[in-house]
Short mmCIF file of all heavy atoms in Angstrom, two decimals:
data_model
loop_
_atom_site.label_atom_id
_atom_site.label_comp_id
_atom_site.label_asym_id
_atom_site.label_seq_id
_atom_site.Cartn_x
_atom_site.Cartn_y
_atom_site.Cartn_z
N LEU A 129 85.67 117.34 92.83
CA LEU A 129 84.46 116.60 92.61
C LEU A 129 83.79 116.93 91.30
O LEU A 129 83.18 116.08 90.68
CB LEU A 129 83.45 116.90 93.74
CG LEU A 129 83.84 116.36 95.15
CD1 LEU A 129 82.87 116.94 96.18
CD2 LEU A 129 83.83 114.84 95.16
N ASN A 130 83.98 118.11 90.79
CA ASN A 130 83.37 118.55 89.56
C ASN A 130 84.33 118.43 88.35
O ASN A 130 84.04 119.02 87.29
CB ASN A 130 82.95 119.97 89.66
CG ASN A 130 81.60 120.19 90.44
OD1 ASN A 130 80.55 120.06 89.88
ND2 ASN A 130 81.76 120.40 91.72
N GLY A 131 85.36 117.69 88.54
CA GLY A 131 86.32 117.46 87.42
C GLY A 131 87.06 118.74 87.02
O GLY A 131 87.38 118.97 85.80
N GLY A 132 87.28 119.66 87.92
CA GLY A 132 88.04 120.85 87.65
C GLY A 132 87.14 122.08 87.48
O GLY A 132 87.63 123.19 87.50
N ASP A 133 85.86 121.94 87.30
CA ASP A 133 84.93 123.01 87.02
C ASP A 133 84.31 123.41 88.36
O ASP A 133 83.57 122.65 88.96
CB ASP A 133 83.85 122.60 86.03
CG ASP A 133 82.83 123.75 85.80
OD1 ASP A 133 83.19 124.90 86.13
OD2 ASP A 133 81.75 123.42 85.28
N ALA A 134 84.56 124.65 88.80
CA ALA A 134 83.99 125.16 90.02
C ALA A 134 82.88 126.16 89.82
O ALA A 134 82.38 126.77 90.76
CB ALA A 134 85.10 125.74 90.94
N GLY A 135 82.53 126.36 88.56
CA GLY A 135 81.41 127.25 88.21
C GLY A 135 81.51 128.61 88.83
O GLY A 135 82.44 129.36 88.61
N ALA A 136 80.49 128.99 89.69
CA ALA A 136 80.37 130.24 90.23
C ALA A 136 81.59 130.62 91.14
O ALA A 136 81.84 131.79 91.40
CB ALA A 136 79.10 130.41 91.03
N LEU A 137 82.27 129.61 91.65
CA LEU A 137 83.41 129.82 92.55
C LEU A 137 84.56 130.49 91.84
O LEU A 137 85.55 130.92 92.52
CB LEU A 137 83.86 128.54 93.16
CG LEU A 137 82.80 127.82 94.10
CD1 LEU A 137 83.39 126.60 94.69
CD2 LEU A 137 82.27 128.79 95.15
N ASP A 138 84.52 130.50 90.51
CA ASP A 138 85.60 131.19 89.79
C ASP A 138 85.42 132.73 89.82
O ASP A 138 86.36 133.47 89.58
CB ASP A 138 85.58 130.76 88.30
CG ASP A 138 85.96 129.30 88.17
OD1 ASP A 138 86.79 128.84 88.96
OD2 ASP A 138 85.41 128.64 87.25
N ASP A 139 84.22 133.19 90.17
CA ASP A 139 83.91 134.64 90.34
C ASP A 139 84.09 134.98 91.81
O ASP A 139 83.36 134.43 92.71
CB ASP A 139 82.46 134.93 89.84
CG ASP A 139 82.15 136.38 89.90
OD1 ASP A 139 82.32 137.00 90.99
OD2 ASP A 139 81.72 136.96 88.90
N PRO A 140 84.99 135.90 92.16
CA PRO A 140 85.24 136.22 93.57
C PRO A 140 84.01 136.66 94.32
O PRO A 140 83.82 136.25 95.47
CB PRO A 140 86.28 137.34 93.52
CG PRO A 140 86.95 137.15 92.18
CD PRO A 140 85.89 136.65 91.26
N ASP A 141 83.16 137.48 93.69
CA ASP A 141 81.93 137.90 94.41
C ASP A 141 80.96 136.75 94.67
O ASP A 141 80.37 136.60 95.77
CB ASP A 141 81.25 139.03 93.66
CG ASP A 141 82.09 140.29 93.52
OD1 ASP A 141 82.85 140.54 94.47
OD2 ASP A 141 82.00 141.01 92.55
#
Side-chain angles (χ1 to χ4, degrees):
L129 292 171
N130 283 273
D133 179 18
L137 298 182
D138 295 327
D139 183 304
D141 293 330

